[in-house]
Amino acid sequence: MITTDILIIGAGPTGLFAVFEAGLLKMKCHIIDALPQPGGQLAELYPKKPIFDIPGYPSVNAGELVDNLMEQIKQFQPGFTLGETAVSYKKIDEEWFEVVTNKGTVHRCKAIAIAGGLGTFEPRKPTMDNIADYEEKGLEYFVKEPEHFRNKKVVIAGGGDSALDWSVFLSNVASEVTLIHRRNEFRGALDSVEKVQDLKNQGKIKLITPAEVTAIKGDGKVEAITVVRDGEEAFDIETDYFIPLFGLTPKLGEISQWGLNIEKNAIVVNNALDYQTNIEGIYAIGDINTYPGKLKLILCGFHEATLMCQSVYNRLNPGKKYVLKYTTVSGVDGFDGSRKEAEKAVVKKID
């Protein structure tokens, strides 16, 4: 059995930063995540893509942000249960919750912070009879490691930001990139559309519109795809990889059965105070929650994590007054015995 102060469900950026804020308040954290590594969608979907709206970072790759967050919380020694999904919870007594995963791992905690991003998510798959035969055999729903496609022929299908951005990125990695979309118009950032247009003009991206991929061919792996352009006769394109990027279908999974107030696949919280749900002691922070004026931004998740930790501290320490001090003044004491602090001022006469 794993015991902790705060059990965080979700190892995305919001969940990771919550560990730091809890550590400042001397509270231990343990994190559950269905993915095999920390980082959530940043690590799973777009680790190499830049993020431009993190304060203090003009640009930071998603994977680099995850690495920095992991380094930041290392001193607070969080525990991880990875590759498992939280499926049930119950209240043991006035102080403790118990959460069990799909693999039977039991966790006991004094507060639960659900930071599951979009929840469990599945890619929207093309409608083809033999689609499962080629999954992870040349059919990929995510680009996890771009170097995997070095000097290979790649076909990408889709018309949104992911399809556009990965077409641009892989044009400098793959030997050949073909982008297929069922419409002539793309729904993505103007800058991305213009980059694809420029690369098409340079011959670095082949563009086929309006068209759809109707079949995958190959003996045990992807060797070609069948394309129908504008409803006309079909033709085949040889390729090493087929990457359909049609978006994700988010699901709350078993958490939706916990009795939480849910609105449009998101957990309703009290944003006027602490992001607590309708169940006392259970909070929801980051993209998985909803409230009036909600913005699904990483920086907003950081803010929510901070206030959540303050609320948990007050619940666990009734009557104890906490005096907020800036880390520039108080320093940071890790659970591993480390201490980080600013250099102390000295009093010295200047002759």
Side-chain angles (χ1 to χ4, degrees):
M1 182 181 297
I2 295 167
T3 303
T4 190
D5 292 320
I6 305 176
L7 182 67
I8 300 171
I9 301 174
T14 295
L16 294 178
F17 187 68
V19 175
F20 178 79
E21 289 297 322
L24 294 179
L25 299 169
K26 311 300 183 188
M27 295 185 296
K28 292 281 290 184
C29 293
H30 190 91
I31 302 179
I32 299 174
D33 199 284
L35 297 175
Q37 73 286 320
Q41 295 175 60
L42 271 67
E44 183 72 6
L45 300 184
Y46 47 91
K48 302 295 183 180
K49 288 185 68 175
I51 302 173
F52 301 105
D53 60 354
I54 302 298
Y57 288 93
S59 174
V60 59
N61 282 353
E64 182 185 353
L65 178 59
V66 172
D67 291 342
N68 289 345
L69 287 165
M70 289 294 290
E71 179 65 26
Q72 186 178 29
I73 66 175
K74 182 171 64 175
Q75 61 195 315
F76 295 122
Q77 302 177 315
F80 289 91
T81 299
L82 299 175
E84 300 185 29
T85 305
V87 294
S88 67
Y89 96 95
K90 63 181 178 180
K91 198 83 166 65
I92 300 298
D93 52 36
E94 288 302 311
E95 185 178 12
W96 293 96
F97 291 95
E98 184 174 280
V99 175
V100 182
T101 71
N102 60 321
K103 294 185 179 179
T105 307
V106 179
H107 306 75
R108 285 198 175 178
C109 59
K110 298 177 181 178
I112 300 171
I114 304 171
L118 294 175
T120 57
F121 52 89
E122 298 177 359
R124 294 191 176 97
K125 302 180 180 182
T127 304
M128 298 177 193
D129 293 336
N130 63 342
I131 194 84
D133 297 339
Y134 295 100
E135 290 176 346
E136 298 184 2
K137 299 175 183 177
L139 172 61
E140 307 289 341
Y141 298 114
F142 309 116
V143 179
K144 299 178 183 178
E145 179 47 65
E147 281 300 314
H148 192 62
F149 305 93
R150 174 70 64 181
N151 299 323
K152 301 294 185 180
K153 294 180 180 179
V154 177
V155 173
I156 295 175
D161 284 314
S162 291
L164 291 165
D165 292 346
W166 282 121
S167 294
V168 171
F169 191 97
L170 292 178
S171 68
N172 293 314
V173 176
S175 62
E176 182 180 294
V177 173
T178 302
L179 175 59
I180 298 173
H181 183 39
R182 60 180 178 172
R183 298 187 180 91
N184 290 318
E185 300 80 19
F186 288 84
R187 187 182 297 275
L190 178 60
D191 180 61
S192 297
V193 176
E194 291 177 344
K195 284 180 180 177
V196 169
Q197 178 69 64
D198 185 48
L199 290 167
K200 173 183 177 290
N201 295 340
Q202 296 177 41
K204 293 185 176 181
I205 291 179
K206 295 180 180 180
L207 187 62
I208 304 176
T209 62
E212 291 187 74
V213 177
T214 59
I216 303 173
K217 296 181 177 180
D219 184 12
K221 64 181 181 66
V222 174
E223 295 175 358
I225 50 101
T226 300
V227 180
V228 175
R229 182 181 359 218
D230 204 14
E232 298 178 356
E233 187 176 350
F235 58 93
D236 290 346
I237 298 176
E238 291 185 2
T239 188
D240 298 304
Y241 291 96
F242 173 45
I243 310 173
L245 298 173
F246 299 149
L248 300 171
T249 302
K251 297 179 180 179
L252 285 178
E254 297 295 332
I255 289 176
S256 64
Q257 307 302 314
W258 287 14
L260 300 165
N261 287 341
I262 296 173
E263 183 179 290
K264 294 181 179 179
N265 210 45
I267 301 171
V268 178
V269 296
N270 175 8
N271 69 306
L273 185 60
D274 55 9
Y275 304 98
Q276 196 162 188
T277 69
N278 58 298
I279 300 176
E280 185 179 358
I282 300 182
Y283 302 75
I285 53 177
D287 287 357
I288 204 164
N289 74 16
T290 187
Y291 52 84
K294 169 68 179 182
L295 292 177
K296 294 191 175 186
L297 296 172
I298 293 173
L299 61 92
C300 295
F302 290 166
H303 163 79
E304 295 166 11
T306 303
L307 296 189
M308 178 276 294
C309 288
Q310 295 286 331
S311 175
V312 174
Y313 178 86
N314 290 330
R315 286 186 65 253
L316 302 189
N317 300 276
K320 185 175 180 180
K321 184 174 177 58
Y322 172 72
V323 180
L324 176 66
K325 292 183 180 180
Y326 302 114
T327 54
T328 50
V329 175
S330 64
V332 177
D333 292 308
F335 298 156
D336 57 1
S338 64
R339 177 166 176 78
K340 297 178 180 177
E341 61 182 334
E343 291 187 11
K344 298 187 182 300
V346 298
V347 178
K348 182 176 175 65
K349 180 180 180 181
I350 298 177
D351 296 326

